[in-house]
Amino acid sequence: MTNDETSEGEWVRPFAVPINIHFAREAADTLREYREMVADGLDNVGVPSTDSPIRSEMAWMQGIPDPVGSARGSLHGMLLEVVGMSWDTAVDHVRALEHDIIRTPAPVWSPLVIARAVLESCLLVDYLFESPLSGATRLARCAGLWRKDTDYSANFAKVLDQDQAATDLDAYVMAALDECGIQARRNASGKITGYEVDGEHSNLDYNITGRTRERLPTWLPMPYGLLSGAAHGRPWMTDRARSLAGEGADLVGEAATVMTALMVGMASLEMGLKSWQRYFGFDLDQVIEEMEQYRELMSLRLMGFAHRSDE
């Protein structure tokens, strides 16, 4: 059992009933409307504010003599592209969750697995856009993630007997980071453990479990253990669906599972939206307030639908 698979309690007991179609449809509509609120907010933000972190970091990099300044500008451009891709991936999984909730037969554990994908994409957005954070540390984080992903890509290339491609990719990344004036940090055995930019450093990657606890909104206290239990098919988690079904019956999807996935998806989008807000200086306070009011209202409404009968 890994360190992210510990049961963390059941705050969702009011939804400890089998999924019914009324609840499923209302839950899917709720998530869709919440996602559209987030999208509308970002679509109407305009340009970054003059005192935003992104503007100050762009000015900082432009003030660095070439070739280092332009090389760091290119790395920062890649950072923005990675965040945009991660955000789009999160939204894509939210859409998938909307459809999964209403399928027949009702889902059992898949909503939690999809919600975990939403969460992890939004965590990456938050990690790279975190503010306040110095531009040097931000570039060090980007370098670490790039190095880590390069290792994964290189290992995959070797599986395909493309050793030369793996070697070329490694050399390209090392040269690109060297052009940026970014130094590798190594342990006693010489293995790269992170990167340093102008005296500030970052590890190769971040601890997902720890960052989940630190960065998600406080109204969602405990998601990652449940998500991991479902994703890894751990018996402590999956046995619940069998117990709810009864002797000899198929596994039964629980409204609590859908509700947990729903709240994780909402919390992840809120976390990501606030990251965009802080880094670009966007005025999103009203949108976030409306999202909070909508979430609280729909949580109560969904409770009624969860206990609704077909009669």
Side-chain angles (χ1 to χ4, degrees), residues 29-88:
D29 288 344
T30 296
L31 186 57
R32 174 182 53 78
E33 291 183 25
Y34 193 89
R35 170 178 56 78
E36 290 174 351
M37 292 173 71
V38 173
D40 289 344
L42 282 178
D43 286 344
N44 294 286
V45 290
V47 298
S49 65
T50 56
D51 59 348
S52 62
I54 187 174
R55 282 190 181 272
S56 63
E57 288 173 15
M58 294 291 288
W60 164 63
M61 287 180 286
Q62 290 168 3
I64 299 173
D66 285 336
V68 174
S70 59
R72 290 187 180 183
S74 296
L75 182 63
H76 185 262
M78 186 183 76
L79 182 151
L80 296 177
E81 183 177 353
V82 167
V83 170
M85 181 173 59
S86 297
W87 183 253
D88 290 343

Coordinates of all heavy atoms in Angstrom, one line a residue, residues 29-88:
D29 N -25.4 18.0 -14.4 CA -25.7 19.4 -14.8 C -25.0 20.4 -13.9 O -24.6 21.5 -14.4 CB -27.3 19.6 -14.7 CG -28.0 18.9 -15.9 OD1 -27.4 18.5 -16.8 OD2 -29.2 18.8 -15.7
T30 N -24.9 20.1 -12.6 CA -24.3 21.0 -11.7 C -22.8 21.1 -12.1 O -22.3 22.3 -12.1 CB -24.4 20.4 -10.3 OG1 -25.7 20.3 -9.9 CG2 -23.5 21.2 -9.3
L31 N -22.1 20.0 -12.4 CA -20.7 20.1 -12.7 C -20.5 20.9 -14.0 O -19.6 21.7 -14.2 CB -20.1 18.7 -12.9 CG -18.6 18.6 -13.1 CD1 -17.8 19.3 -12.0 CD2 -18.2 17.1 -13.2
R32 N -21.4 20.6 -15.0 CA -21.3 21.3 -16.3 C -21.5 22.9 -16.1 O -20.7 23.7 -16.6 CB -22.4 20.8 -17.2 CG -22.4 21.6 -18.6 CD -23.6 21.1 -19.5 NE -24.8 21.1 -18.8 CZ -25.6 22.2 -18.5 NH1 -25.2 23.4 -18.9 NH2 -26.8 22.1 -17.9
E33 N -22.5 23.3 -15.3 CA -22.7 24.7 -15.1 C -21.5 25.3 -14.3 O -21.1 26.5 -14.6 CB -24.0 24.9 -14.3 CG -25.2 24.6 -15.1 CD -26.5 24.8 -14.4 OE1 -26.5 25.7 -13.5 OE2 -27.5 24.2 -14.7
Y34 N -20.9 24.6 -13.4 CA -19.8 25.1 -12.6 C -18.6 25.2 -13.6 O -17.9 26.3 -13.5 CB -19.4 24.1 -11.5 CG -18.5 24.6 -10.5 CD1 -18.9 25.3 -9.4 CD2 -17.1 24.4 -10.6 CE1 -18.0 25.8 -8.4 CE2 -16.2 24.8 -9.7 CZ -16.7 25.5 -8.6 OH -15.8 26.0 -7.6
R35 N -18.4 24.3 -14.4 CA -17.3 24.3 -15.4 C -17.5 25.5 -16.3 O -16.5 26.3 -16.7 CB -17.2 23.1 -16.3 CG -16.3 23.1 -17.5 CD -16.2 21.9 -18.2 NE -17.5 21.3 -18.7 CZ -18.2 21.8 -19.7 NH1 -17.7 22.8 -20.4 NH2 -19.3 21.3 -20.1
E36 N -18.7 25.8 -16.8 CA -19.0 26.9 -17.6 C -18.8 28.3 -16.9 O -18.3 29.2 -17.6 CB -20.4 26.8 -18.2 CG -20.6 25.7 -19.2 CD -22.0 25.4 -19.6 OE1 -22.9 26.1 -19.0 OE2 -22.2 24.6 -20.6
M37 N -19.0 28.3 -15.6 CA -18.8 29.5 -14.9 C -17.3 29.8 -14.9 O -16.9 31.0 -15.0 CB -19.3 29.4 -13.4 CG -20.8 29.3 -13.3 SD -21.3 28.9 -11.6 CE -20.9 30.5 -10.8
V38 N -16.5 28.8 -14.7 CA -15.0 29.0 -14.7 C -14.6 29.4 -16.1 O -13.7 30.4 -16.2 CB -14.3 27.6 -14.3 CG1 -12.8 27.7 -14.5 CG2 -14.7 27.2 -12.9
A39 N -15.1 28.8 -17.1 CA -14.6 29.1 -18.5 C -15.0 30.6 -18.8 O -14.3 31.3 -19.4 CB -15.3 28.2 -19.5
D40 N -16.3 31.0 -18.5 CA -16.7 32.3 -18.7 C -15.9 33.3 -18.0 O -15.6 34.4 -18.5 CB -18.2 32.5 -18.3 CG -19.1 31.7 -19.2 OD1 -18.7 31.3 -20.3 OD2 -20.3 31.5 -18.8
G41 N -15.5 33.0 -16.8 CA -14.6 33.9 -16.0 C -13.3 34.1 -16.7 O -12.8 35.3 -16.8
L42 N -12.6 33.1 -17.2 CA -11.3 33.2 -17.8 C -11.5 33.9 -19.2 O -10.5 34.5 -19.7 CB -10.7 31.8 -18.0 CG -10.0 31.3 -16.7 CD1 -9.4 29.9 -17.0 CD2 -8.9 32.2 -16.2
D43 N -12.6 33.7 -19.9 CA -12.8 34.2 -21.2 C -13.0 35.7 -21.2 O -12.9 36.4 -22.2 CB -14.0 33.6 -21.9 CG -13.8 32.2 -22.3 OD1 -12.6 31.8 -22.4 OD2 -14.8 31.5 -22.6
N44 N -13.2 36.3 -20.0 CA -13.5 37.7 -20.0 C -12.6 38.5 -19.1 O -12.9 39.6 -18.5 CB -15.0 37.9 -19.5 CG -16.0 37.4 -20.4 OD1 -16.3 38.0 -21.5 ND2 -16.6 36.3 -20.1
V45 N -11.3 38.1 -18.9 CA -10.4 38.7 -18.0 C -9.6 39.8 -18.6 O -9.0 40.6 -17.9 CB -9.5 37.6 -17.4 CG1 -10.2 36.7 -16.5 CG2 -8.8 36.8 -18.5
G46 N -9.4 39.8 -19.9 CA -8.6 40.9 -20.6 C -7.1 40.5 -20.5 O -6.7 39.4 -20.5
V47 N -6.3 41.6 -20.3 CA -4.9 41.4 -20.3 C -4.4 41.4 -18.9 O -5.0 41.8 -18.0 CB -4.2 42.6 -21.1 CG1 -4.6 42.5 -22.5 CG2 -4.5 43.9 -20.4
P48 N -3.2 40.8 -18.6 CA -2.6 40.8 -17.3 C -2.5 42.2 -16.7 O -2.2 43.2 -17.5 CB -1.2 40.1 -17.5 CG -1.4 39.3 -18.7 CD -2.3 40.1 -19.6
S49 N -2.7 42.4 -15.4 CA -2.5 43.7 -14.8 C -1.1 44.1 -14.8 O -0.2 43.3 -14.9 CB -3.1 43.6 -13.4 OG -2.3 42.8 -12.6
T50 N -0.9 45.4 -14.7 CA 0.5 45.9 -14.8 C 1.4 45.5 -13.6 O 2.6 45.4 -13.8 CB 0.5 47.5 -14.8 OG1 -0.3 47.9 -13.6 CG2 -0.2 48.0 -16.0
D51 N 0.8 45.2 -12.5 CA 1.6 44.7 -11.3 C 1.5 43.2 -11.1 O 1.9 42.7 -10.0 CB 1.1 45.4 -10.0 CG -0.4 45.2 -9.7 OD1 -1.1 44.6 -10.6 OD2 -0.8 45.5 -8.6
S52 N 1.2 42.5 -12.1 CA 1.1 41.0 -12.0 C 2.4 40.4 -12.0 O 3.4 40.9 -12.6 CB 0.2 40.4 -13.1 OG 0.8 40.7 -14.4
P53 N 2.6 39.2 -11.4 CA 3.8 38.5 -11.4 C 4.3 38.2 -12.8 O 5.6 38.3 -13.1 CB 3.5 37.2 -10.7 CG 2.4 37.5 -9.7 CD 1.6 38.5 -10.5
I54 N 3.4 37.9 -13.7 CA 3.9 37.5 -15.1 C 4.6 38.7 -15.7 O 5.6 38.6 -16.4 CB 2.8 37.0 -16.0 CG1 3.4 36.5 -17.3 CG2 1.7 38.0 -16.2 CD1 2.4 35.8 -18.2
R55 N 4.0 39.9 -15.5 CA 4.6 41.1 -16.1 C 6.0 41.4 -15.5 O 7.0 41.8 -16.2 CB 3.7 42.3 -16.0 CG 2.5 42.3 -17.0 CD 1.8 43.6 -16.9 NE 0.7 43.7 -17.8 CZ 0.7 44.0 -19.1 NH1 1.9 44.4 -19.6 NH2 -0.4 44.1 -19.8
S56 N 6.1 41.3 -14.2 CA 7.4 41.5 -13.5 C 8.4 40.5 -14.0 O 9.6 40.9 -14.1 CB 7.2 41.6 -12.0 OG 6.8 40.3 -11.6
E57 N 8.0 39.3 -14.1 CA 9.0 38.2 -14.6 C 9.4 38.4 -16.0 O 10.6 38.2 -16.3 CB 8.4 36.9 -14.3 CG 8.3 36.5 -12.9 CD 7.5 35.2 -12.6 OE1 7.3 34.4 -13.6 OE2 7.2 34.9 -11.5
M58 N 8.5 38.8 -16.9 CA 8.9 39.1 -18.2 C 9.9 40.3 -18.3 O 10.9 40.2 -19.0 CB 7.6 39.5 -19.0 CG 6.6 38.3 -19.2 SD 7.2 37.0 -20.2 CE 7.1 37.7 -21.8
A59 N 9.6 41.3 -17.5 CA 10.6 42.4 -17.5 C 11.9 42.0 -16.9 O 13.0 42.4 -17.4 CB 10.0 43.5 -16.6
W60 N 11.9 41.1 -15.9 CA 13.2 40.6 -15.4 C 14.0 39.9 -16.4 O 15.2 40.1 -16.6 CB 12.8 39.7 -14.2 CG 14.0 38.8 -13.7 CD1 15.2 39.2 -13.2 CD2 14.0 37.4 -13.8 NE1 15.9 38.1 -12.9 CE2 15.2 37.0 -13.2 CE3 13.1 36.4 -14.1 CZ2 15.6 35.6 -13.1 CZ3 13.4 35.1 -14.0 CH2 14.6 34.7 -13.5
M61 N 13.3 39.0 -17.2 CA 14.0 38.2 -18.2 C 14.5 39.1 -19.3 O 15.6 38.9 -19.9 CB 13.1 37.1 -18.7 CG 13.0 35.9 -17.7 SD 11.9 34.6 -18.2 CE 10.3 35.4 -18.1
Q62 N 13.7 40.1 -19.7 CA 14.1 41.0 -20.8 C 15.3 41.8 -20.4 O 16.1 42.3 -21.3 CB 12.9 41.9 -21.2 CG 11.8 41.1 -21.9 CD 10.5 41.9 -22.0 OE1 10.5 43.1 -21.6 NE2 9.5 41.3 -22.6
G63 N 15.5 42.0 -19.1 CA 16.6 42.8 -18.6 C 17.9 42.0 -18.5 O 19.0 42.6 -18.2
I64 N 17.9 40.7 -18.7 CA 19.1 39.8 -18.7 C 19.7 39.8 -20.0 O 19.1 39.5 -21.0 CB 18.7 38.4 -18.2 CG1 18.0 38.4 -16.8 CG2 19.9 37.5 -18.2 CD1 17.5 37.1 -16.4
P65 N 21.0 40.1 -20.1 CA 21.7 40.1 -21.4 C 21.6 38.8 -22.1 O 21.5 37.7 -21.5 CB 23.1 40.4 -21.1 CG 23.1 41.1 -19.7 CD 21.9 40.4 -19.0
D66 N 21.5 38.9 -23.5 CA 21.5 37.6 -24.3 C 22.9 37.0 -24.3 O 23.9 37.7 -24.1 CB 21.1 38.0 -25.7 CG 19.6 38.2 -25.8 OD1 18.8 37.7 -24.9 OD2 19.2 39.0 -26.7
P67 N 23.0 35.7 -24.5 CA 21.9 34.8 -24.9 C 21.1 34.2 -23.7 O 20.0 33.6 -23.9 CB 22.6 33.7 -25.6 CG 23.9 33.6 -24.9 CD 24.3 35.0 -24.5
V68 N 21.5 34.5 -22.5 CA 20.8 33.9 -21.3 C 19.4 34.4 -21.2 O 18.4 33.7 -21.0 CB 21.6 34.2 -20.0 CG1 20.7 33.7 -18.8 CG2 22.9 33.5 -20.0
G69 N 19.2 35.7 -21.4 CA 17.9 36.3 -21.3 C 16.9 35.8 -22.3 O 15.7 35.4 -21.9
S70 N 17.2 35.6 -23.5 CA 16.3 35.1 -24.5 C 16.1 33.6 -24.3 O 15.0 33.1 -24.5 CB 16.9 35.3 -25.9 OG 18.1 34.7 -26.1
A71 N 17.1 32.9 -23.8 CA 16.9 31.5 -23.5 C 15.9 31.3 -22.4 O 15.1 30.4 -22.4 CB 18.3 30.8 -23.2
R72 N 16.0 32.1 -21.3 CA 15.1 32.0 -20.2 C 13.7 32.4 -20.7 O 12.7 31.8 -20.2 CB 15.5 32.9 -19.1 CG 16.8 32.3 -18.4 CD 17.1 33.1 -17.1 NE 18.3 32.6 -16.4 CZ 18.8 33.0 -15.3 NH1 18.2 34.1 -14.7 NH2 19.9 32.5 -14.8
G73 N 13.6 33.4 -21.6 CA 12.3 33.7 -22.1 C 11.7 32.5 -22.9 O 10.5 32.3 -22.8
S74 N 12.5 31.8 -23.6 CA 11.9 30.6 -24.3 C 11.5 29.5 -23.3 O 10.4 28.9 -23.5 CB 13.0 30.0 -25.2 OG 13.4 30.9 -26.2
L75 N 12.2 29.3 -22.2 CA 11.8 28.4 -21.2 C 10.5 28.8 -20.5 O 9.7 28.0 -20.3 CB 12.9 28.2 -20.1 CG 12.7 27.2 -19.0 CD1 12.5 25.8 -19.6 CD2 13.8 27.2 -18.0
H76 N 10.4 30.1 -20.3 CA 9.2 30.6 -19.7 C 8.0 30.4 -20.6 O 6.9 30.1 -20.2 CB 9.3 32.1 -19.3 CG 8.2 32.7 -18.6 ND1 7.2 33.4 -19.3 CD2 7.8 32.6 -17.3 CE1 6.3 33.8 -18.4 NE2 6.6 33.3 -17.2
G77 N 8.3 30.6 -21.9 CA 7.2 30.3 -22.9 C 6.8 28.9 -22.9 O 5.6 28.6 -23.0
M78 N 7.7 28.0 -22.7 CA 7.4 26.5 -22.6 C 6.5 26.3 -21.3 O 5.6 25.5 -21.3 CB 8.6 25.7 -22.5 CG 8.3 24.2 -22.6 SD 9.8 23.1 -22.4 CE 10.1 23.3 -20.7
L79 N 6.9 27.0 -20.2 CA 6.1 26.9 -19.0 C 4.7 27.3 -19.2 O 3.7 26.6 -18.8 CB 6.8 27.8 -17.9 CG 6.1 27.8 -16.5 CD1 7.2 28.1 -15.5 CD2 5.0 28.8 -16.4
L80 N 4.4 28.4 -19.9 CA 3.1 28.8 -20.2 C 2.3 27.8 -21.1 O 1.1 27.6 -20.9 CB 3.1 30.2 -20.9 CG 3.7 31.4 -20.1 CD1 3.7 32.6 -21.0 CD2 2.9 31.6 -18.8
E81 N 3.0 27.2 -22.0 CA 2.4 26.2 -22.9 C 2.1 25.0 -22.1 O 1.0 24.4 -22.3 CB 3.4 25.9 -24.0 CG 2.8 24.9 -25.0 CD 3.8 24.6 -26.2 OE1 4.8 25.2 -26.2 OE2 3.4 23.7 -27.0
V82 N 2.9 24.6 -21.2 CA 2.6 23.4 -20.4 C 1.4 23.6 -19.5 O 0.6 22.7 -19.3 CB 3.9 23.0 -19.5 CG1 3.5 22.0 -18.4 CG2 5.0 22.4 -20.4
V83 N 1.4 24.8 -18.9 CA 0.2 25.1 -18.0 C -1.1 25.1 -18.8 O -2.1 24.6 -18.4 CB 0.4 26.5 -17.3 CG1 -0.9 26.9 -16.6 CG2 1.5 26.4 -16.3
G84 N -1.0 25.7 -20.0 CA -2.2 25.7 -20.8 C -2.7 24.3 -21.2 O -3.9 24.0 -21.2
M85 N -1.7 23.5 -21.5 CA -2.0 22.1 -21.9 C -2.6 21.4 -20.7 O -3.6 20.6 -20.8 CB -0.8 21.4 -22.4 CG -1.0 20.0 -22.8 SD 0.5 19.3 -23.6 CE 1.7 19.5 -22.2
S86 N -2.0 21.6 -19.5 CA -2.5 20.9 -18.3 C -3.9 21.4 -18.0 O -4.8 20.6 -17.5 CB -1.6 21.2 -17.1 OG -0.3 20.7 -17.4
W87 N -4.2 22.7 -18.1 CA -5.5 23.2 -17.8 C -6.6 22.6 -18.8 O -7.7 22.2 -18.4 CB -5.5 24.7 -17.9 CG -6.8 25.4 -17.6 CD1 -7.7 25.9 -18.5 CD2 -7.5 25.5 -16.3 NE1 -8.8 26.4 -17.9 CE2 -8.7 26.2 -16.5 CE3 -7.1 25.1 -15.1 CZ2 -9.5 26.4 -15.5 CZ3 -7.9 25.4 -14.0 CH2 -9.1 26.0 -14.2
D88 N -6.2 22.5 -20.1 CA -7.1 21.9 -21.1 C -7.4 20.5 -20.8 O -8.5 19.9 -20.9 CB -6.5 22.1 -22.5 CG -6.6 23.5 -23.0 OD1 -7.3 24.3 -22.4 OD2 -5.8 23.8 -24.0

